[in-house]
Amino acid sequence: NAGVTQTPKFQVLKTGQSMTLQCAQDMNHEYMSWYRQDPGMGLRLIHYSVGAGITDQGEVPNGYNVSRSTTEDFPLRLLSAAPSQTSVYFCASRPDRVLSGYTFGSGTRLTVV
Amino acid sequence: GQNIDQPTEMTATEGAIVQINCTYQTSGFNGLFWYQQHAGEAPTFLSYNVLDGLEEKGRFSSFLSRSKGYSYLLLKELQMKDSASYLCAVRDRERGGSYIPTFGRGTSLIVHP
């Protein structure tokens, strides 16, 4: 049971490049979310999904797209990378039970130069 | 929207007790979480409170007062490995029947010998 798997762990992009951060979970969780974490800012919600085929925007969605074609996978796409997107990105999932907390992936450290 | 306030940093001595406070303002409260995050790692779920009172889990306890918009995390018999950031998260916003937590900026706890 791998939990939540994120790839890659580290990435350097040039301004204007696009890429996809991968997230997969093997716990059959309905809810999945993407957060970014910046020094002094805490975790901020980018996009989330409550099940396959259903996604919605969070607090800071601009410059990012998501899709949820399967229960297991929830990729995050950066359309045209900007230095302001330099951050640590965490994917998280939880089952559809009220008392459940999130299980987080190990994170992707992204630098945009 | 909501405001979540936590102290930025706290220090304590090994073997002692420390209380980390969290205050919040929400429009539709539906639960409060505490997470632990060691430097360079992903957050891990510690506790969840939705009703007033104290929830105890080993050395860690979490308290909630909904009328005061206040919670605290109590750590007893501190160990060096408890040095970490402690994140308070409030579940509030309802979208599509879901409740998505918003995170505070975290409290960095330093335990010294």
Side-chain angles (χ1 to χ4, degrees), chain B residues 78-99:
Chain B
L78 280 172
Q79 302 175 10
M80 298 297 291
K81 67 178 182 178
D82 296 329
S83 292
S85 185
Y86 291 86
L87 313 178
C88 172
V90 176
R91 200 154 63 183
D92 177 11
R93 184 177 62 211
E94 176 178 299
R95 286 189 179 192
S98 66
Y99 294 91

Side-chain angles (χ1 to χ4, degrees), chain B residues 20-91:
Chain B
I20 302 174
N21 295 327
C22 173
T23 59
Y24 62 89
Q25 295 174 305
T26 69
S27 54
F29 178 81
N30 195 49
L32 186 143
F33 298 84
W34 284 97
Y35 287 81
Q36 180 190 59
Q37 186 177 24
H38 286 100
E41 298 183 9
T44 55
F45 171 69
L46 288 178
S47 68
Y48 173 65
N49 295 71
V50 66
L51 299 176
D52 291 349
L54 188 68
E55 296 279 344
E56 298 188 74
K57 272 189 185 181
R59 293 190 299 115
F60 292 6
S61 303
S62 57
F63 171 82
L64 175 67
S65 169
R66 289 172 296 171
S67 62
K68 296 182 179 178
Y70 168 67
S71 173
Y72 67 73
L73 181 69
L74 192 70
L75 290 74
K76 303 175 186 174
E77 302 170 14
L78 280 172
Q79 302 175 10
M80 298 297 291
K81 67 178 182 178
D82 296 329
S83 292
S85 185
Y86 291 86
L87 313 178
C88 172
V90 176
R91 200 154 63 183

Side-chain angles (χ1 to χ4, degrees), chain A residues 3-46:
Chain A
V4 179
T5 302
Q6 286 185 240
T7 56
K9 292 192 183 303
F10 301 93
Q11 182 70 49
V12 178
L13 288 179
K14 294 183 179 179
T15 297
Q17 286 185 314
S18 63
M19 80 159 294
T20 299
L21 308 186
Q22 301 292 343
C23 176
Q25 52 91 9
D26 60 0
M27 299 172 284
N28 202 33
H29 286 174
E30 291 86 355
Y31 289 25
M32 296 185 76
S33 296
W34 276 102
Y35 288 89
R36 59 177 290 174
Q37 187 172 40
D38 303 291
M41 296 295 292
L43 286 160
R44 292 184 291 171
L45 181 67
I46 304 171

